[in-house]
Each structure stands twice: as C-alpha cells, then as structure tokens.
C-alpha cells in the first residue's frame, strides 16, 4: 500500500521522498529518465545549506565540482565590462556556501538518500496523468502496463511547466509570460587552465553573473567553473526571445566572443548544450501550492527564485520538497494541505519570495536591461580615463553625461533606485 | 522442451569517452546499459523461456553499476545473477575471453539447455565469447542470428549470408546462440513488477575471477610518428603548377547520351579500357 507518490526525482522530489520515507511512509518516487538527473538541465551552482538539518555534514559527500569562493557580477556592453568581484576563504570551508555540481551527480546523490531512507525509486517511468475521484487526486497514471498507482497523497515535483499541475487545473495550459529560457554550454578545459584564468586553486570555484549580454532581450548570463569545464549560458525572457527572432545559441556565441569572456573560453571544447525553461514570475505568479490530494513543489509551483543577483532554484526546490515530505503524514491523516502551506510560509522559501516579490519586474525592466549596463560602464570609463591635459571631470557631470548618452533621465535613476531599495531592503 | 535458458548480457556505458589528448578513458557508471544486441538476447531468452515454461536466468559480468539494469530484467520475470568484475576498465577489456567464458559457465551453476548472448559486445567487440561458452559447455553454437524462435517443437534460427541471402537452420539443443540487435525489442515491465523489483538485491555469483589475458602497462592516445616528407623542390610557381596541373593538357569531359543503359555501359567500359583501367581480356569478359 503506497502512502505517497512523488512524481519527479529532481531536487524537489528527492527531498520530499527523503522526508516522507524517514517519517515511515511508503513512498514511490517516479522518474521519467533512466536515472535521476539524467534529463535535467540547469546553470551549475547549488546552495546546500538547506540540507544542514537533514543531512548533517552533507558537504563531505555531496558530489561537488568546485566550492564557489569567488562571486562576480559583471555588467557588459558590446565593448565594455564592469565587474564587482568578491572572494572569501570562508566559503571554501565547512559549512561552505555554494558549489558547482552536475545535476546527473547531484540529483542521483539526493535521490540515493531517499532510497536509503526507504523510498522506492522507479526510473524510466512517466506519470502521464492524474487519477481524480470526485474533486480529489487519488493517484497517477503512468506509461507502463498496469500503470495506475493510487495513494492518499501525490506530490508533484515534475518541474517547470508541470503537466500534473496543469491537469489539476492549477496552471494555465500555456503561460509563456512568466517563463524564461535558460541555455547553457559546457566547455571543457584542463583544470590548470581554469585555475589560472580564474585565479583559483584546488577546489575553489567562481560564479560570474552577467547583465547586458543578451542583445537587449530581458535576461542575463552566467559563467561557472567546474573541475575541468566551464558552464556558460544565458537566461532570457521567453516571450521577448520569440519576438526578437534571435536563436538562443547565437546569444551564447555572442557571449563567448565578448572581449571580457573570450579569453576565459579560448581553446575550450564544447561538451554539452542544454536548454530548459525557468519559472521566473516570482511570488505574484506562484502556482497554487496544493489541491485536494496533491501538493505542488519546486519549479512545478514556480518556486525558483530569480531576482537579479540571485538565481536559486535547486535550494528552493529542496526547501519546498522537504516541507512537503515533512508534512505528508499530517496531510494524509487530516486530508487538509494547510500544514504544507504553513511550513512553506514559515521557511525561507516563501519568506524570500515574498520579500523579493518586486524583483522580477524590476530586474527584467527595460531600463535595467538595456540602459543601465551602458550607463554604469560609461560612468566608470569616464572616471578612469585619464584625458590630460584636460582636467578630471566631476563625477556628477560624468553621471549626467552617461545617463544622457544611454537615454536615462535622472528622475528615472532616482525612481529605480528607490524601487530597488524597496525590493531588496 | 527445455528447463533452463541462460542469457549472457553485457551491461556497460555505451558511450565511453576517450580523451583525445591524454587517452584517458571515462566510463559513466550511471549510463550502464544493454546494447541493442544484448537487449535482443534478453528478449529472446524471455520469449523462449516462457514458450518452454523454462527458467530464464540473465547473467552479467560487471560491477554494481549493472544492478539497476538487472533489476529491470528481474521485473520482467527472469532470474538474475552478476559475476563481479574488478579492476580498471582497461584491465577489464584485457580479460582473457576464455577465462571469462569459464567464469560465466561456472556461475550458471547447472546445465542450460540454451544459452543466448549478443553476437558481439559494444566495447570488447571480439565476438569470441559465444564460441568459448559453447566450447566450455561442449555444445553446438549458432552465431550471428537475426531471428530465433520456436516453430512447433523446433528451435529455428536465421542469419544473414552474403549477397542479401539468409540461412535458416534448425538448432539442436543444448546450444549457444548469439543474436544481432535486430527484429525484437526488449519489453518493458509493468508498474507493479517494476515496483516489486525496485529494491531487490541482485545476487552476486562467487566464482573465481578471470585475470587479464595480457598485462596492461599503460593506455594512452595513439600518436603515430610524423612522416618525414622531403622539402619541396622547384620555384613556388612550378610547385603551384604541379599541384594544380594548370598548364597540362586534359582530355575534355565526355558527354555521353542521352543513351539507353547498355549503350551507357559500353561507353563507360570503353572509357575505362582506353584509359588503362580495364585490360582487354577483362573488357572481353565484361562485355561477353
Ligand atoms: C539554464 C538554467 C540555469 C539554472 N541555474 C541554476 C543555478 O545555478 N542554481 C540553482 O539553484 N538553480 C538554477 N536553475 C534552476 C533549477 O534548475 C530549478 O529551479 C530546479 O532544478 C528545480 O527543481 P525541481 O526538482 O523542482 O525540478 P526539476 O529539476 O526540473 O526536476 C523535475 C524532475 O521530474 C522529472 N519529471 C518531469 N515530468 C515527469 C513525469 N511526468 N513523470 C516522471 N518524472 C517526471 C524530470 O525528469 C526531473 O527529474 C537553473 C535553471 C536553468 C534552466
């Protein structure tokens, strides 16, 4: 007799299965790929502290590529690049901060923990639909013979564009507006070359977030260091990408040719190209988190946090999965999903989303995307250009000039500054 | 009639990567899978086992990475067993094929009526294992089959011959048959069976392990020595002319036709004979 069916062995599903199985429930974890992580695409950095209570000393066994000890935010125009670069040794030792890891390794590891706890992982199996009786979800259909599986609770962890959430009427059939498309190349380079180009040693790694590298299509880019490869990619608004008629791989090609990025990727060999959707609507566009008999977690619920400075989906998926697994028994007993929603509300998952609810609009706004990169780059270029015998211009004059050149009014700057202050306070 | 059908199936990463610079080989244990012919062997074994009402045992020589695939086979109703293989991939590839056959036969632990295996493995690739197994068991072998089925009480196999012809044969039992990855597709298990097998423990056979047939001192990328070419002679203009043949006289292209097929063939043969590609005798033979 199955108590909980978890659909999808990504981070959300594995975390949910782990907690429910630890609670003594009979858990079936369904995964469509041949092994967890085999079908999954993402950028590359996982923030593992969410596992502190669940898997003490997780950092000793997580399949890490590199520990991120250096984090840069880079603003690009076609010819300029301004980088704010931060590094700390603290992130290179326990309990660490973020690590680069491959999903095929990470998801398999986390799902392995669920299996160790007693969950039954069934791979190569697609949940093709819900079994609904009255208004209640009572199981799922799969693509296997005799494939109907019934349980008092279904946890949808099937990722962005969740077919289960759609079938339950929680998600509209199409919803491109709040989706971005992430595309990524993994480029192989010898480990020593990466160490040298990025100024790191041993298992230290770098996370570079980029703005202004997407031909004006709202979005951003990233470069992450793996052990002996780089992950280079862009994330762009799906609607605007379609309207622009630009192919996503052209954006990556642009990025790799940029004078600030080209020296990093020179001589690298393409190993892998992946593309995947990301739900970036934020708090105001979350999928309803439950319906009778079913909880929705991770990307399926739109819980990926994409707020300019942050692109965190895996830890939010894990956070929501843990909450679903922890509350599963109570929900089965009472038939009411309130404990799951309450647990999410009390955790960082909904707290961060709520606090940063204005971020997607601000970060993807036309000025932040298309005008401010040029403005700050021009301002800094002006500050550091030594034009003797002409005397140095004042900073305010430079700011005015840069704003004018980039079509920004000073009142816009003030308004966006205030809006940014409110969003990120 | 038969009591025991054994399938020997290799389970390995089908897309092993070899670093072109260092020669380092990387195998992804998660990608361990049956090749098309190994999967066909399992399917044939299952079909024949159920037709005879016999036990079907699927045996794999490999590491624990094979267990997930073997559990899938378990959920299809076969028994499974794994012969543990240790050592590096290169050592594994260097394993003595005959010793491996011995170990596999020992792991069967009985006398099978039929052994089915792939015609060749995706990576080892010698195709010799079925013959060694047949030798160990002292039974006949029918290698390289594209079909294997029961017709009445007879086990019938079919294999390719040259010029697109096929050979059908009646195979007496006991026998070892190797099959191509053709004609059948490995079935999928039902959900209840998959669930039942999901956490099953795969039995490991305790048999003496074969050692490597050759001692591997190292594996590295093939780097043939560069060929020494004499420095070019003559001026750059002369070299260019020699390379392009620009000032040499050429026979202009011949336009034949429109003509019918025999005339076109004659024209071609004439051309070949004229240019020394066909001898008179051969032309005569070709035209006769
Ligand atoms: C390009 C890109 C870069 C990103 N970068 C980062 C980053 O650096 N850091 C970060 O934290 N996040 C990042 N994210 C976001 C992150 O990948 C997601 O938020 C996270 O993976 C969500 O986890 P999940 O478990 O909800 O869904 P998923 O990871 O999508 O997992 C869903 C699982 O369900 C399975 N599945 C789906 N449908 C079915 C079905 N019907 N039946 C059975 N199984 C099914 C899938 O095979 C998959 O295993 C990035 C995303 C992209 C696309």
């Amino acid at each position: 007799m199955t108590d909980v069916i978890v659909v999808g062995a990504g981070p959300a599903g594995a975390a949910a299965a782990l907690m429910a199985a630890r609670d003594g429930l009979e858990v079936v974890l369904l995964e469509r790929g041949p092994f967890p992580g085999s079908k999954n695409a993402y950028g590359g950095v996982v923030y593992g502290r969410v596992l502190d209570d669940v898997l003490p000393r997780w950092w000793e066994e997580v399949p890490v590529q590199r520990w991120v000890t250096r984090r840069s935010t880079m603003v690009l125009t076609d010819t300029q690049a301004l980088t704010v670069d931060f590094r700390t040794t603290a992130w290179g030792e326990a309990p660490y901060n973020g690590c680069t890891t491959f999903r095929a390794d990470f998801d398999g590891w986390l799902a392995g923990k669920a299996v160790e706890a007693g969950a039954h992982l069934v791979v190569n199996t697609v949940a093709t639909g819900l079994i609904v009786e009255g208004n209640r979800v009572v199981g799922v259909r799969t693509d296997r013979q005799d494939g109907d599986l019934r349980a008092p609770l279904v946890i949808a962890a099937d990722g962005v564009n969740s077919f289960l959430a759609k079938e339950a009427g929680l998600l509209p059939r199409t919803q491109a507006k709040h989706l971005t498309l992430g595309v990524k190349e993994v480029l192989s380079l010898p480990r020593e070359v990466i160490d040298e180009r990025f100024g790191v040693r041993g298992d230290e790694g770098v996370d570079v977030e980029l703005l202004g590298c997407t031909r004006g299509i709202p979005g951003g880019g990233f470069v992450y260091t793996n052990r002996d490869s780089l992950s280079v990619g862009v994330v762009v608004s799906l609607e605007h990408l379609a309207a622009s008629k630009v192919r996503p791989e052209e954006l990556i090609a642009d990025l790799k040719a940029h004078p600030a990025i080209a020296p990093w990727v020179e001589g690298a060999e393409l190993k892998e190209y992946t593309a995947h959707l990301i739900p970036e609507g934020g708090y105001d566009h979350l999928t309803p988190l439950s319906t009778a008999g079913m909880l929705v977690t991770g990307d399926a619920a739109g819980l990926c946090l994409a707020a300019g400075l942050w692109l965190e989906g895996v830890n939010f998926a894990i956070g929501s999965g843990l909450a679903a697994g922890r509350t599963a028994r109570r929900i089965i007993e009472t038939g009411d999903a309130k404990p799951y929603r309450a647990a999410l509300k009390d955790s960082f998952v909904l707290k961060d989303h709520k606090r940063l609810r204005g971020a997607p609009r601000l970060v993807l706004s036309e000025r932040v995307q298309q005008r401010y990169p040029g403005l700050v780059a021009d301002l800094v270029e002006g500050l550091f250009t030594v034009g003797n015998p002409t005397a140095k211009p004042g900073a305010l004059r430079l700011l005015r000039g840069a704003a004018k050149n980039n079509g920004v009014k000073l009142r816009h700057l003030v308004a966006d500054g205030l809006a940014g202050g409110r969003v990120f306070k | 009639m038969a009591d025991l059908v054994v399938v020997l199936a290799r389970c390995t990463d089908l897309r092993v990567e070899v670093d072109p610079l260092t020669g380092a080989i990387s195998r992804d244990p998660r990608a361990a899978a049956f090749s098309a012919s190994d999967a066909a062997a399992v399917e044939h074994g299952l079909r024949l086992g159920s037709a005879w009402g016999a036990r079907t045992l699927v045996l794999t020589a490999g590491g624990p990475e094979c267990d997930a695939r073997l559990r899938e086979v378990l959920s299809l109703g076969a028994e499974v067993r794994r012969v543990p293989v240790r050592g590096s991939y290169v050592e594994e590839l260097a394993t003595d094929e005959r010793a491996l056959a011995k170990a596999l036969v020992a792991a069967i632990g009985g006398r099978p009526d039929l052994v089915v295996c792939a015609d060749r493995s995706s990576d080892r690739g010698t195709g010799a294992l079925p013959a060694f197994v047949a030798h160990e068991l002292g039974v006949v072998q029918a290698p390289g089959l594209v079909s294997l089925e029961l017709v009445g009480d007879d086990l019938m196999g079919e294999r390719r011959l040259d010029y697109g012809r096929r050979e059908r044969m009646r195979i007496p039992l006991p026998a070892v048959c190797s099959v191509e990855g053709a004609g059948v597709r490995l079935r999928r298990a039902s959900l209840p069976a998959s669930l039942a097998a999901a956490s099953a423990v795969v039995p490991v056979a305790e048999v003496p392990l074969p050692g490597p047939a050759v001692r591997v001192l190292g594996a590295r990328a093939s780097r043939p020595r560069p060929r020494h070419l004499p420095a070019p002679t003559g001026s750059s203009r002369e070299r260019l002319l020699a390379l392009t043949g620009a000032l040499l006289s050429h026979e202009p292209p011949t336009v034949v036709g429109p003509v019918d097929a025999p005339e076109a063939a004659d024209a071609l043969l004439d051309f070949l004979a004229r240019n020394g590609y066909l001898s008179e005798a051969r032309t005569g033979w070709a035209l006769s």
Side-chain angles (χ1 to χ4, degrees):
Chain A
M1 167 70 188
T2 306
D3 297 314
V4 183
I5 303 166
V6 182
V7 178
L18 169 66
M19 294 318 283
R22 275 196 188 169
D23 202 12
L25 296 172
E26 253 324 284
V27 181
V28 172
L29 176 57
L30 298 176
E31 169 56 43
R32 65 180 169 180
F35 56 87
S38 53
K39 290 209 168 257
N40 294 343
Y42 89 133
V45 180
V46 168
Y47 299 92
R49 295 294 304 275
V50 62
L51 293 169
D52 278 0
D53 302 338
V54 187
L55 300 168
R57 307 185 76 77
W58 52 270
W59 53 83
E60 287 174 359
E61 30 171 320
V62 70
V64 60
Q65 288 285 314
R66 288 177 185 256
W67 295 104
V68 175
T69 55
R70 184 173 168 201
R71 188 170 169 144
S72 307
T73 304
M74 194 185 259
V75 177
L76 302 172
T77 69
D78 287 349
T79 54
Q80 300 157 303
L82 168 70
T83 310
V84 179
D85 186 26
F86 175 75
R87 61 192 303 164
T88 169
T89 52
W91 292 349
E93 46 198 57
Y96 299 94
N97 183 41
C99 64
T100 53
T101 171
F102 293 130
R103 289 293 297 277
D105 298 331
F106 183 81
D107 290 13
W109 171 73
L110 198 56
K113 294 288 166 197
V115 171
E116 273 172 30
H120 305 284
L121 171 66
V122 184
V123 292
N124 286 323
T125 306
V126 182
T128 50
L130 294 171
I131 307 173
V132 181
E133 281 174 7
N135 280 332
R136 197 172 186 83
V137 175
V138 293
V140 297
R141 297 193 193 292
T142 70
D143 64 344
R144 285 193 184 265
Q145 193 193 331
D146 301 328
D148 287 5
L149 189 62
R150 289 171 168 265
L153 186 64
V154 171
I155 298 179
D158 51 342
V160 64
N161 205 25
S162 160
F163 280 52
L164 296 190
K166 283 184 181 180
E167 195 175 332
L170 302 176
L171 257 182
R173 289 269 147 201
T174 51
Q175 38 124 29
K177 197 166 167 24
H178 302 299
L179 292 177
T180 54
L181 178 72
V183 287
K184 179 183 88 160
E185 284 184 6
V186 176
L187 303 167
S188 118
L189 274 176
R191 187 176 187 154
E192 319 75 67
V193 174
I194 294 178
D195 286 353
E196 199 176 302
R197 289 185 187 176
F198 288 85
V200 285
R201 292 280 171 272
D203 55 7
E204 294 172 345
V206 184
D207 162 346
V208 188
E209 304 291 338
L210 310 161
L211 185 67
C213 55
T214 49
R215 295 197 196 171
I217 303 166
F222 56 83
V223 177
Y224 302 134
T225 57
N226 305 310
R227 205 173 297 133
D228 46 17
S229 62
L230 301 176
S231 297
V232 178
V234 295
V235 175
V236 283
S237 148
L238 195 57
E239 266 192 344
H240 289 81
L241 178 70
S244 73
K245 304 264 188 279
V246 173
R247 295 198 54 85
E249 62 271 23
E250 291 173 32
L251 296 175
I252 300 196
D254 280 2
L255 188 58
K256 290 194 298 183
H258 191 281
I261 309 293
W264 285 344
V265 298
E266 195 176 287
E269 189 197 335
L270 177 65
K271 300 291 277 186
E272 183 185 292
Y273 176 86
T274 46
H276 199 78
L277 294 175
I278 308 176
E280 288 210 14
Y283 190 77
D284 294 329
H285 301 283
L286 294 180
T287 313
L289 297 167
S290 64
T291 184
M294 183 168 97
L295 309 179
V296 191
T297 60
D299 274 13
L303 284 169
C304 180
L305 181 78
L309 295 176
W310 301 280
L311 173 55
E312 296 175 27
V314 173
N315 48 329
F316 280 73
I318 294 175
S320 61
L322 294 176
R326 278 190 183 117
T327 53
R329 182 179 286 282
R330 251 181 304 151
I331 294 170
I332 292 170
E333 281 162 8
T334 61
D336 185 351
K338 244 190 231 140
Y340 172 55
R341 293 197 300 270
L344 283 186
K345 226 183 226 165
D346 282 346
S347 81
F348 74 96
V349 176
L350 283 189
K351 279 186 183 157
D352 284 354
H353 264 291
K354 193 168 179 186
R355 179 171 321 120
L356 295 166
R357 68 195 301 170
R361 203 174 334 115
L362 181 70
V363 172
L364 296 178
S365 71
E366 191 259 355
R367 278 198 293 276
V368 171
Q369 289 287 325
Q370 296 184 24
R371 303 194 185 273
Y372 289 159
L375 186 153
V376 289
D378 284 352
L379 176 65
V380 174
E381 186 165 329
L383 273 176
F384 294 138
T385 302
V386 179
N388 301 152
T390 313
K392 293 193 191 311
L396 198 61
R397 211 184 103 206
L398 280 175
L399 177 64
R400 276 213 199 91
K404 194 166 166 222
N405 283 347
N406 288 282
V408 179
K409 300 236 159 51
L410 286 184
R411 68 185 152 82
H412 290 148
L413 260 181
V414 175
D416 289 337
L418 287 174
R422 270 196 302 275
V423 167
F424 296 109
K425 70 177 181 280
Chain B
M1 279 301 282
D3 294 323
L4 176 60
V5 176
V6 172
V7 180
L8 306 177
R10 178 158 173 82
C11 179
T12 185
D13 181 354
L14 300 174
R15 291 195 209 128
V16 172
E17 276 190 29
V18 182
D19 187 314
L21 281 182
T22 62
I25 300 172
S26 47
R27 229 177 6 165
D28 184 350
R30 290 163 311 209
F34 296 127
S35 69
S37 19
D38 285 294
V42 176
E43 180 58 34
H44 281 303
L46 288 166
R47 285 184 189 187
L48 292 169
S50 76
W52 279 317
R55 283 167 57 214
T56 301
L57 167 69
V58 176
L59 255 180
T60 286
E65 70 274 8
C66 305
D67 288 357
R69 294 290 93 77
L70 287 174
R71 276 188 209 105
E72 279 171 25
V73 173
L74 195 66
S75 65
L76 297 173
E79 293 169 35
V80 296
R81 202 168 298 157
R82 179 163 63 77
V83 175
V85 168
R86 287 182 204 100
S88 72
Y89 184 44
V90 174
E91 279 166 355
E92 192 193 320
L93 292 187
T95 306
D96 177 355
E97 201 93 351
R98 184 163 179 192
L100 179 64
K102 259 191 177 127
L104 286 166
V105 168
I108 296 172
R111 230 189 129 62
D113 300 289
L114 177 67
V115 175
V116 193
C117 51
D119 59 341
R120 72 173 68 96
S121 62
S122 54
D123 49 359
R124 291 176 60 92
T126 64
L129 187 85
F132 281 128
V133 172
H135 177 80
E136 279 308 312
L137 290 168
V139 300
V140 298
Q141 58 158 330
L145 303 174
V146 287
S147 90
L148 183 63
E149 58 191 352
L150 269 184
V151 178
D153 286 343
D154 293 333
L155 180 63
M156 300 296 292
E158 188 173 309
R159 69 175 162 205
R160 297 176 210 270
L161 295 179
D162 289 348
Y163 304 114
R165 282 178 300 198
R166 299 275 175 115
E167 176 182 48
R168 266 182 88 70
M169 61 191 110
R170 185 174 294 114
I171 303 166
L173 296 182
V176 173
C177 297
S178 70
V179 294
E180 283 187 24
V184 292
R185 177 170 288 203
L186 182 57
R187 64 191 73 180
R188 292 184 78 210
S190 69
L191 186 63
S194 302
L195 268 171
S199 347
V201 177
V202 172
V204 176
E206 291 302 328
V207 291
L209 290 169
V214 287
R215 204 150 58 89
V216 181
L217 298 177
R220 55 188 166 79
S222 153
R223 293 223 196 297
R225 281 167 185 242
R227 211 152 45 101
H228 287 284
L229 295 174
T233 53
S235 70
S236 52
R237 182 171 179 276
E238 282 162 349
R239 290 196 329 251
L240 210 64
L241 286 177
L243 278 173
T244 57
L247 296 182
L248 298 178
S249 64
H250 292 279
E251 193 181 329
T254 318
V255 180
V256 182
V259 291
D260 60 15
E263 280 177 302
D266 286 347
L268 282 172
L269 289 169
D270 276 353
F271 176 87
L272 293 174
R274 226 178 24 251
N275 289 281
Y277 294 111
L278 280 184
S279 66
E280 283 295 329
R282 198 168 159 79
T283 318
W285 174 81
L287 288 171
S288 66

